[in-house]
Amino acid sequence: MNARTIPIQPVPVTRQRRREAPKGRQVDPQAAREVAALIGEAATQRDLLIEHLHKIQDHHGHLSAAHLAALAKAMGLAQTEVYEVATFYHHFDVVKEAQTPPAALTIRVCDGLSCEMAGARDLLERLPAILGKDVRVIPAPCVGRCEQAPAVVVGQHPVAAATVDTVARALSEGRTRDVPSGHVDLDAYKAQGGYTLLQSCINGEREVEDVIKAMEDSGLRGLGGAGFPAGRKWRIVRNEPAPRLMAVNIDEGEPGTFKDRHYLERDPHRFLEGMLIAAWAVGIHKCYIYLRDEYHGCRALLEQEIQRLRDSPPWPGMPEIELRRGAGAYICGEESAMIESIEGKRGIPRLRPPYVAQVGLFGRPTLEHNFETLYWVPEILHKGGAWFAAHGRHGRKGLRSFSVSGRVKEPGVKLAPAGITIRELIDEHCGGMAEGHRFYGYLPGGASGGILPASMGDIPLDFDTLQPHGCFIGSAAVVVLSDHDTATAAARNTMRFFHHESCGQCTPCRNGTAKVSALIEHDHWDLELLADLSQVMRDASICGLGQAAPNPVDSVIRYFPQELKP
């Protein structure tokens, strides 16, 4: 029998009810209209997912299941894909159908180390009862205002050196937005000679090779913490095939760090000119600026000044500049996690190789830089690489912006020679120790940089000088401890932070930070188990978070044995 004569068997009739709609959560028409009004019909490319989640939450105060479903439909994404991104970031409030939405206003009390030392715990205990049920008071990881400790953010308005009274006053006066003022705008920057250096590059008065050579001669290294030579990075990315992209990291989530915010609030165009010079030298097609969500005033400032730059570009072929908003995830300070976030995904670090310089944003070669690294470019090119390299102390070269907080009289960003010691930094730039406090110890590189005792206060602070002691300088976030503090308390604070901020991708970091955090809460530390956990985390974690998280605990065991009970 051939195929044409095979009898067709009838399909049996069943009583199963025919499905009248697609399987899964249905899209509410009203939610779909609201989402469409917020995001626009044209802006549906995948990398805008986080931007759209921000628009919905800013408008409605939270992310409902109905709005997430509507957003998924509008963008042509699976609902699970939208949900997993929304629940990954701390600043998104995802509300399920049976849940009650959060209060209309959220007050975040920073519980980072500097703020905890300044009384944040007392604020967290007292504020809820005083402010009432219509306001949500929650602890928050470092908000990048350590010199203003304790820092509180009322909605989007930061309150420096907060007390119960100043927070209540800000609330009663309706101050829930951070309004920037006092910065050097485009007109003022041009009046000071701004963008003439960039113009000289565009006009051919400077050769690309000369510019890159000046960067190499300066010895400038990445000031986000990794310390890779900036000029060498430009050369590497320039040699990759076009189109090339740039990603600028202003996530600045390391507890103790606030230097990028400090400079951005005052002189944004110096950074923007440095970014555009780098873009010209490397041949960048498009620049993406990733700004942490806590810096609301900086975002408004940058949006304003970037738009003015677009309206009056320094040259016709200026690369497009796009500002992207973080959503509360320390891990996105890691370069590949930041790139994942810019692409609208969870901020999960990538495995390497390939490296970002080769396969980065959207699969293209990417020049990734920290804000402050680019901030120095105009001055280095104006004064010469040798000028920058001529600074330094104790055999080191260059300048460093130290974010100093803790028990000093004058905390803040201190521009000082690379290689300065902590004792010199405190005495020469911070007015000495706070009244009634004696220098006891310090964190030379933020939460992940380890802890050293005052007896080791003469080590030059720079790249490569602290590693022999189990520490590193990172982004130069210095937290000063006094005899009113303990290194064990500092280690507990930083380890809670790492546990909270682990992205959960790899077991050594996800479980390691949780286990170490639980172990050191006890009075008696299991030193053998902690040493084993530390080694596993360093050897097997995918990124720097898990690899560096044991540093504070290892430092306590090594340098502060007197604090540990036998």
Side-chain angles (χ1 to χ4, degrees), residues 517-566:
S517 184
L519 285 171
I520 66 173
E521 289 296 332
H522 298 292
D523 291 336
H524 299 276
W525 289 14
D526 187 334
L527 302 186
E528 184 177 352
L529 180 54
L530 286 171
D532 186 45
L533 283 167
S534 172
Q535 193 63 53
V536 171
M537 291 172 69
R538 294 180 189 281
D539 291 344
S541 294
I542 289 175
C543 81
L545 191 157
Q547 295 163 9
N551 282 344
V553 175
D554 289 351
S555 295
V556 171
I557 296 170
R558 183 176 179 181
Y559 298 118
F560 298 88
Q562 72 277 7
E563 293 188 17
L564 302 177
K565 293 186 178 180

Side-chain angles (χ1 to χ4, degrees), residues 127-139:
L127 282 174
I130 293 172
L131 301 181
K133 296 181 179 180
D134 295 334
V135 177
R136 179 177 61 161
V137 178
I138 61 174

Side-chain angles (χ1 to χ4, degrees), residues 330-351:
Y330 166 70
I331 191 62
C332 290
E334 196 275 340
E335 62 175 7
S336 65
M338 178 189 69
I339 283 173
E340 289 287 297
S341 191
I342 293 173
E343 292 181 357
K345 305 171 186 174
R346 295 177 298 162
I348 301 291
R350 297 176 179 177
L351 294 173

